[in-house]
Amino acid sequence: MAEIAIIGGGPSGAMCGEQLARAGHKVNLFDEHLAWEKPCGGGLTHKAIQCFPFLLDNSYPKKLVQSVELISSQDHHATLEMPHPIVIYSRTVLNGLLLDRARDAGCKLQRSRVMSVNTEAAKPRYCVEGEWRDADFLVVAAGARNHLLPETRPLQRDELEMTQGYFVPQNADSITIKFLPHFEGYIWSFPRNDHLSVGICGSMSSHTSAELRGHLQTFVEKHEIKTENAKFYSHVLPSPQVRTLSERTVVGQNWALVGDAAAWVDPLTGEGLFYAIRSGELLGRSLAEGCPEKYPERIKAAFSSELEFAARIVRRFYRGSFLGSAVTTRMVQFIRRSPVFRQLMGDLFSGTQDYSTLKRRLWGQLGITISDFISSVLNLDRPASARIGHTGASGD
Ligand SMILES: Cc1cc2nc3c(=O)[nH]c(=O)nc-3n(C[C@H](O)[C@H](O)[C@H](O)COP(=O)(O)OP(=O)(O)OC[C@H]3O[C@@H](n4cnc5c(N)ncnc54)[C@H](O)[C@@H]3O)c2cc1C
């Protein structure tokens, strides 16, 4: 392929551009802002750092956070110490870092908005600054608000979350996560190098923006977070359902979607940065080999079963109950009580424990109540061997 056009210079587009330019392709990347403060927590988990060590080994400003405070809807508190830090960036810095790498690899960056695309002919076309141009392949990396959808459907309300938040000129050393009663989502406070990113995310089909605003206001007042001089934002976040991941078309003959545009986000946690960067890398590699058809199978092998797993349990996690209390409340209580469960949750939060191997770790290490709790959230049956002669771990 001689020429590839990438629409969007966020993490997915920048990484895809870098891969393709390194492989010797002519790459034009368009972003209406280039490096900007896109509404985001900015937190990268250990799996992102393991896969892309340059995200930690660089001189760009960032904050490493090792502890998370969890607060239940009934105000129980628990602290998790994570084995590996969450690396938190301002998005202007993170996007800048990834775009610098793309430019250094030979990718041509242009600050422009792409208005329209057309993929009907063999060569896809796109309209920028009033002029139609063509390319050999079109990468749509335009994020969750993307309206450029060649031959695929937009995300529906139940496949999206609303988010609202503030960038607050204040410092902290740990992450805070607050759960809310009967609420599919959570409030977060992520400390960055020189400010906090504080916000709320909630299912778009279950909650209104006024509801989100009210919860966030109560939280910032209670935690004495001063929002008078803070910048307010709202944005959307993909929250894929099983059908989104299994049925929605993300690649065609001469185009493909990456990152948020493809809805590669963990619907339980809202983590999207890793999936954006990884999907950009995998598409870039497939295109560099001249085999775009390899992209979906590579995504499947890399992470889509993890996202499907999360999509299956998300409602039970936020809406379910265990022994008469909300699942999220029980989780906070068990973290306080059981060191083994605390360690497991620390691994999950930092990104060293994935969902698919969680099952193996359950029985034998944790007591019966906590194993039953996790099984009920994950909808698992306890194996027969675990029912006989099971010894309760501390905290059970
Ligand atoms: C409030 C909030 C908090 C979040 N917190 C976290 C977190 O802590 N950790 C985490 O892992 N994930 C988080 N996410 C998710 C994460 O922000 C996204 O998954 C990630 O940014 C996706 O990267 P992307 O490159 O696919 O899209 P984006 O980062 O959205 O980039 C898309 C780019 O395309 C450009 N663009 C759009 N349309 C056009 C056009 N027509 N022409 C030219 N350019 C265009 C935009 O300017 C933008 O730069 C959060 C999301 C939200 C909304």
Side-chain angles (χ1 to χ4, degrees), residues 187-257:
I187 294 175
W188 76 86
S189 164
F190 272 31
R192 292 176 168 180
N193 203 32
D194 56 1
H195 66 276
L196 296 180
S197 173
V198 184
I200 182 167
C201 56
S203 156
M204 200 180 263
S205 57
S206 306
H207 307 293
T208 62
S209 60
E211 226 180 305
L212 264 68
R213 191 90 191 225
H215 285 308
L216 185 58
Q217 212 44 46
T218 308
F219 176 83
V220 294
E221 278 164 21
K222 183 161 185 191
H223 291 260
E224 295 176 356
I225 296 171
K226 308 249 173 296
T227 54
E228 296 82 44
N229 301 318
K231 193 168 179 278
F232 178 78
Y233 62 72
S234 71
H235 204 79
V236 289
L237 176 67
S239 183
Q241 304 271 351
V242 174
R243 70 169 197 281
T244 328
L245 298 160
S246 60
E247 290 167 13
R248 190 164 175 260
T249 310
V250 294
V251 62
Q253 216 193 337
N254 52 19
W255 63 272
L257 308 181

Side-chain angles (χ1 to χ4, degrees), residues 8 10-12 31-33 36 38 40-43 91 114 141-142 259-260 272-273:
S12 59
D31 193 297
E32 56 188 332
H33 309 294
W36 66 294
K38 190 236 162 215
C40 190
R91 283 297 302 269
V114 173
D260 275 15
L273 289 170

Side-chain angles (χ1 to χ4, degrees), residues 148-185:
L148 306 170
L149 295 161
E151 304 159 53
T152 196
R153 65 169 178 82
L155 294 172
Q156 290 156 358
R157 285 184 77 78
D158 67 341
E159 296 168 303
L160 290 166
E161 284 187 13
M162 257 181 298
T163 67
Q164 295 177 0
Y166 295 97
F167 297 121
V168 186
Q170 204 167 310
N171 292 318
D173 288 317
S174 68
I175 290 171
T176 304
I177 302 286
K178 163 89 176 130
F179 298 105
L180 299 157
H182 313 292
F183 190 86
E184 283 172 58

Side-chain angles (χ1 to χ4, degrees), residues 111 193 234 268 316 318 363 374 384:
R111 187 177 178 153
N193 203 32
S234 71
L268 193 65
R316 240 182 344 264
Y318 287 114
W363 292 285
I374 301 176

Side-chain angles (χ1 to χ4, degrees), residues 313-372:
I313 65 168
V314 62
R315 218 181 138 73
R316 240 182 344 264
F317 180 79
Y318 287 114
R319 292 279 194 180
S321 64
F322 184 78
L323 298 177
S325 282
V327 161
T328 48
T329 301
R330 287 293 181 218
M331 180 180 80
V332 174
Q333 290 172 330
F334 289 145
I335 288 171
R336 285 176 67 102
R337 265 175 39 189
S338 162
V340 184
F341 184 65
R342 192 154 57 239
Q343 196 186 341
L344 176 110
M345 292 308 295
D347 291 348
L348 265 172
F349 263 82
S350 65
T352 41
Q353 170 70 57
D354 54 27
Y355 301 127
S356 39
T357 56
L358 190 58
K359 208 171 17 171
R360 268 184 246 144
R361 197 168 156 183
L362 269 186
W363 292 285
Q365 279 194 30
L366 292 162
I368 292 171
T369 315
I370 296 180
S371 293
D372 281 349

Side-chain angles (χ1 to χ4, degrees), residues 3-15:
E3 189 178 325
I4 290 143
I6 301 181
I7 307 165
S12 59
M15 177 49 95

